[in-house]
Amino acid sequence: MTAIFWLLSLLPLPWAQALGALLGSSVARLPGRYGTRLQQNYLQAYPDSSSIQFREASRAAGRMVLEMPYFWMRENPMSRLDISPANFHETTDALLAQGKGLILLSPHLGGFELLGPLFAQYSPSTVLFKPPHQPWLRDWIERMRSRPNLAMAPATPRGVRMLVKALKRGETIGILPDQCPGGGEGDWAPFFGKPAYTMNLVQRLQAISGAPIVMVFAERLGASCAYHIHLKVLAEPLSTDRQVAAAHLNNQIEQLIARAPTQYLWGYNRYKRPRGA
C-alpha cells in the first residue's frame, strides 16, 4: 500500500484531482450501497438539486480520495499550493495567543486533508482520526500522516488524552466533527432534517480547556492547486446541555457545507446507528 500511495503522490495535484474525478464519477454509477447512499444523503440535504450537481458531488468525492497520497506522502505538500487569503492564519494566531489552545473543526468537506499540514506550519497540532480495526493499517495511517509539528491521535482513550494534553500546552487540535462516534460517545441531533448520531467530544474538550472553537473549510477552487480557507469563530461556548450542543454543532456544519455543497463527502454514512447508541 505504501508503494501505491507513493506512486500516486508523485502525480501533480491537478492530475491527481482529475484522476480522482473520473474515479468518483465511475464508482458512483456502480450498483451498490455507496452510490445509493451518496444520492440519498445529497437529496436529503438539497432535494431540489439537479443531476449536474449530483454528478459534480460524485467527482468531488473522488478528488478528495486522490488528494490523500499527495498530502500524506509528500515531504512538503504546501509548497506548491495557492492558498487564499494569504493572512488566513492571523485569526487563529490571535486565538492561540490567549493560551488556552485552539479547537479546529473541519467536516469531510473540500480539501480537508491539507488542513493538518497547513495549520501545523503555524502551531504544533494534533489531529484526531478514526483508526481502522486492523492494527497494521492503523499504524500505517498514523505514520504516514504524522510529520514535524503534526501528531495523529486515534479516536481511543489514548488519543483523547493526547488532545487534552495538546490543549493544555496551548496548541491546536483538529477534529472531523461529522465523524460518527461509537455508542455512548454521542447524542442524536438533526443534520439536514434527519437525526444523526453526533459526537460530544468537542463539548467535553472545550469544557475542560476553555479553548475557542473555529469552523474551517478548505474550498477547492477548480481542479488546481488553489484553495480558499474559510474560517468562522464560534462566538459563544457550546451549551452544557449535550443535545443542544450537538444540534448547534450540526447547524454550524450545515452552514459550512452550504458554501460549496458539492464538495461534501455525501457518500459517508453519516446517519448510521452505532451499536449501543
Side-chain angles (χ1 to χ4, degrees), residues 13 16 41 54 94 166 190 251 253:
L13 186 56
N41 288 352
F54 172 73
N251 179 260
I253 297 170

Coordinates of all heavy atoms in Angstrom, one line a residue, residues 13 16 41 54 94 166 190 251 253:
L13 N -0.7 17.7 -8.4 CA -2.0 17.7 -7.8 C -3.2 17.8 -8.8 O -4.2 17.1 -8.6 CB -2.1 18.8 -6.7 CG -3.3 18.9 -5.8 CD1 -3.5 17.6 -5.1 CD2 -3.2 20.0 -4.8
A16 N -3.8 14.4 -10.2 CA -4.4 13.5 -9.2 C -5.9 13.9 -9.0 O -6.8 13.0 -8.9 CB -3.7 13.7 -7.8
N41 N -28.2 10.9 0.6 CA -27.8 11.9 1.5 C -27.8 13.3 0.9 O -28.2 14.3 1.5 CB -26.4 11.6 2.0 CG -26.4 10.4 3.0 OD1 -27.4 9.9 3.4 ND2 -25.2 10.0 3.4
F54 N -25.4 16.7 -8.7 CA -25.1 15.4 -8.1 C -23.9 14.8 -8.7 O -23.0 14.2 -8.0 CB -26.3 14.5 -8.3 CG -26.1 13.0 -7.9 CD1 -25.9 12.7 -6.5 CD2 -25.9 12.1 -8.8 CE1 -25.7 11.4 -6.2 CE2 -25.6 10.7 -8.5 CZ -25.5 10.4 -7.1
A94 N -4.2 34.8 16.7 CA -4.8 35.7 17.8 C -5.4 34.9 18.9 O -5.3 35.1 20.1 CB -5.7 36.7 17.2
A166 N -2.5 18.4 24.5 CA -2.2 19.5 23.5 C -2.8 20.8 23.8 O -2.2 21.9 23.7 CB -2.6 19.0 22.1
P190 N -30.4 16.8 14.8 CA -30.7 16.9 13.4 C -29.5 17.3 12.6 O -28.7 18.1 13.0 CB -31.8 18.0 13.4 CG -32.2 18.2 14.8 CD -31.1 17.7 15.7
N251 N -25.6 22.3 13.1 CA -26.1 23.5 12.3 C -24.9 24.3 11.8 O -24.9 24.8 10.6 CB -26.9 24.4 13.3 CG -27.4 25.7 12.6 OD1 -26.8 26.8 12.8 ND2 -28.4 25.6 11.8
I253 N -22.0 23.0 10.9 CA -21.5 22.2 9.8 C -22.4 22.4 8.6 O -21.8 22.5 7.5 CB -21.5 20.7 10.2 CG1 -20.6 20.4 11.4 CG2 -21.1 19.8 9.0 CD1 -20.7 19.0 12.0

